[in-house]
Amino acid sequence: MAQRNGIIGNVRKLLFLLLPLVGVSLEVQPWFGDCLEFHFLGSYAYSFFDKVEKGVPQLQKTFESNVAYLGLDFSPTPEWSIDTDIQVADTTKQHFNFRSLALQARYLWLDDIVGDRVSLATGASGRFTNTDSLRDVSCPYHANFDFELHFSLGKEFDVSNDWAWRLWAFGAIGHANKGSPWVRAILALETNYEDQHKLAFLAEASNGYGRHTTVFIDDFDGYAKIRQKSIDVSIRYGYRIGVWGTLRASYTRRLLAKSCPEQVNAFIFSYLLPFSF
């Protein structure tokens, strides 16, 4: 039995090393890929925290989470973008397991790359999260079916043929198949040096409008009915390796937490590969 558990553990570790090479989480920036171009972006995220604000009973040890994101982004026309992601997780609460599946469609109304003053995109997304994952307090989703309407707005500042700086914002309002609505927003500043080194600073905030403020950790069932609030800040560095895509690494720290995990530290590694036929 011990040998079998050791083999299973090694398989899980191998899967988490391989998964980031083949996938993507949902895009939020107001710039799309080239027409008929695909994007693979796989991400692996490791995070940990020691306390859940207003959690009952409180954690007795550090909660650790390993999440891998898999998916595909595609632009069938210059104005439309369709992408999907699938997530698997291995955490203190649950062993290696499917977490969620999402689908998103977006439309680009304005594009500053072709002469508009700004870029503006709107869209909608839906996400299914399995019941086992909803019992995990580190899972950020609300119920089995989450739906969002969102927009993104941004502006690039060019130097020569490449953008040097860009500023963008994302906002969304959502509701699940139960509970109360929520809103979330992202503000980002990015730099680009010689189209090879990319540095980004991001802040993300979320606010749920549920009635309950106490988080019952051992009887958790998603954030749909919880008045949750959080603010996270991130720094991200990306290095482009020519036609082979871009490698990225980022660090995220939670600055504010109400009725959710607090002082969360997250390390994210990803690989982006654009291609077309």
Side-chain angles (χ1 to χ4, degrees):
M1 180 62 71
Q3 182 179 7
R4 178 175 178 272
N5 291 338
I7 294 174
I8 293 175
N10 290 333
V11 170
R12 287 175 182 161
K13 292 177 182 178
L14 179 61
L15 284 172
F16 272 109
L17 288 174
L18 294 177
L19 284 174
L21 301 181
V22 290
V24 66
S25 58
L26 295 180
E27 279 291 348
V28 294
Q29 297 179 355
W31 296 283
F32 296 174
D34 293 335
C35 183
L36 301 181
E37 184 177 71
F38 293 86
H39 288 85
F40 279 114
L41 172 61
S43 296
Y44 162 71
Y46 168 73
S47 62
F48 64 91
F49 53 90
D50 296 319
K51 184 179 179 181
V52 177
E53 205 274 336
K54 293 189 178 178
V56 177
Q58 198 49 254
L59 298 176
Q60 300 300 311
K61 63 178 181 179
T62 299
F63 193 106
E64 297 180 287
S65 173
N66 299 274
V67 181
Y69 304 79
L70 301 152
L72 180 67
D73 174 32
F74 176 63
S75 296
T77 72
E79 295 83 16
W80 281 99
S81 175
I82 300 171
D83 57 300
T84 181
D85 83 14
I86 186 171
Q87 301 176 10
V88 293
D90 185 40
T91 73
T92 299
K93 177 66 176 182
Q94 63 172 334
H95 294 301
F96 183 82
N97 191 16
F98 161 74
R99 171 179 276 186
S100 73
L101 174 68
L103 178 65
Q104 174 177 264
R106 298 189 295 158
Y107 186 82
L108 186 65
W109 299 93
L110 300 173
D111 188 352
D112 67 323
I113 296 177
V114 298
D116 294 321
R117 290 185 179 274
V118 296
S119 287
L120 172 66
T122 60
S125 65
R127 180 178 297 277
F128 168 76
T129 304
N130 76 21
T131 301
D132 287 341
S133 293
L134 288 176
R135 298 190 179 107
D136 185 337
V137 73
S138 71
C139 180
Y141 306 123
H142 298 78
N144 290 118
F145 295 95
D146 289 6
F147 304 95
E148 284 190 338
L149 297 176
H150 48 74
F151 77 93
S152 53
L153 180 71
K155 174 68 175 178
E156 287 190 351
F157 302 92
D158 299 333
V159 173
S160 184
N161 294 325
D162 302 318
W163 63 272
W165 296 85
R166 65 186 186 188
L167 178 68
W168 58 271
F170 169 87
I173 181 170
H175 205 294
N177 60 302
K178 64 179 181 180
S180 300
W182 68 86
V183 295
R184 64 188 184 101
I186 302 173
L187 182 64
L189 174 66
E190 297 184 81
T191 68
N192 179 31
Y193 179 70
E194 296 184 345
D195 204 29
Q196 186 174 42
H197 303 277
K198 304 177 189 296
L199 186 65
F201 303 91
L202 305 96
E204 180 171 2
S206 66
N207 186 21
Y209 294 98
R211 295 183 301 166
H212 306 292
T213 57
T214 301
V215 181
F216 295 100
I217 297 175
D218 294 336
D219 192 28
F220 190 69
D221 189 31
Y223 286 95
K225 299 180 181 181
I226 295 177
R227 190 170 291 272
Q228 171 268 342
K229 295 178 176 64
S230 65
I231 297 178
D232 300 335
V233 294
S234 304
I235 182 171
R236 183 179 69 203
Y237 170 74
Y239 179 79
R240 182 179 178 183
I241 46 179
V243 297
W244 301 106
T246 301
L247 293 172
R248 301 194 304 193
S250 66
Y251 168 71
T252 299
R253 171 72 175 184
R254 177 155 294 170
L255 299 183
L256 172 70
K258 298 293 185 182
S259 300
C260 66
E262 62 178 323
Q263 298 182 359
V264 180
N265 294 276
F267 301 88
I268 305 171
F269 305 93
S270 59
Y271 173 65
L272 169 65
L273 177 65
F275 70 94
S276 59
F277 295 103

